[in-house]
Amino acid sequence: NYDATHYNADDVTKLEQLGFETLALDAHNVDQYRDFGEKLTARVTIEMTMSRYLDKVYQALAVAAGKKTTQPRTTLMLGDGKESNYLVMGTKGLHADVFSKCGAKPVGVDSDVFQAPNLESLIDMDPEIIYSDGNAQAIYSDARLQGVSAVKNRHVYDIDGKDILRIGAKLNTIIE
């Protein structure tokens, strides 16, 4: 299996020519993620393991939905929080769907993958909450972001970068 946001068609063709069976993880919402999990587990006969994991995902979503506020807060996910090279979550992907289901209003680039917008666009998004790949301190220290609500109000939180940039087995951790 492979994350479709990280490999192009030529890469996949090469793998298939070498005799590898491929299955793309190309989920843009939680239900597509579940469908992928079912296809994958059927191939490797671990249906019960995946079922237990998906139960955790849906349980975490239910708990998060129960904590929704009446006023959704604009939320942004940043990857690779190194100065001037921020990667911003797309508003059409799995992470954005999860944020919406948890009661947040995702802001970001009009895409299903992370992209590097210009800094002015990032500032104009003015998120109330930012989830970062372990670089909250760098974001707080970036003088250019001092006017952003999440930075001003100290609402920048670290999440493991592997959980942010890759769709994978820790979706329930992001939700929690």
Side-chain angles (χ1 to χ4, degrees), residues 29-31 54-68 94 97-103 171-172 174-176:
N29 59 53
V30 174
D31 292 333
L54 289 172
D55 287 346
K56 288 181 185 179
V57 169
Y58 281 100
Q59 181 180 21
L61 281 173
V63 169
K67 295 179 181 178
K68 283 183 184 179
L94 177 63
D97 183 59
V98 166
F99 278 26
S100 294
K101 286 181 176 8
C102 292
L171 187 59
N172 62 314
I174 292 173
I175 296 166
E176 292 167 351

Side-chain angles (χ1 to χ4, degrees), residues 28 122 138:
H28 301 279
L122 176 58

Side-chain angles (χ1 to χ4, degrees), residues 2 10 45 59 61 92 105-106 126 133 135 155 159-160:
Y2 65 95
D10 291 338
T45 63
Q59 181 180 21
L61 281 173
K92 296 179 180 177
K105 180 182 176 197
D126 195 29
D133 70 343
N135 290 303
H155 292 295
I159 297 178
D160 188 323

Side-chain angles (χ1 to χ4, degrees), residues 76-80 86-88 122 130-133 139 164:
L76 176 73
M77 191 180 286
L78 289 179
D80 196 30
Y86 295 108
L87 293 176
V88 174
L122 176 58
I130 294 175
Y131 292 99
S132 167
D133 70 343
I139 292 168
I164 289 180

Side-chain angles (χ1 to χ4, degrees), residues 102-116:
C102 292
K105 180 182 176 197
V107 294
V109 293
D110 186 28
S111 172
D112 60 352
V113 296
F114 281 79
Q115 293 182 352

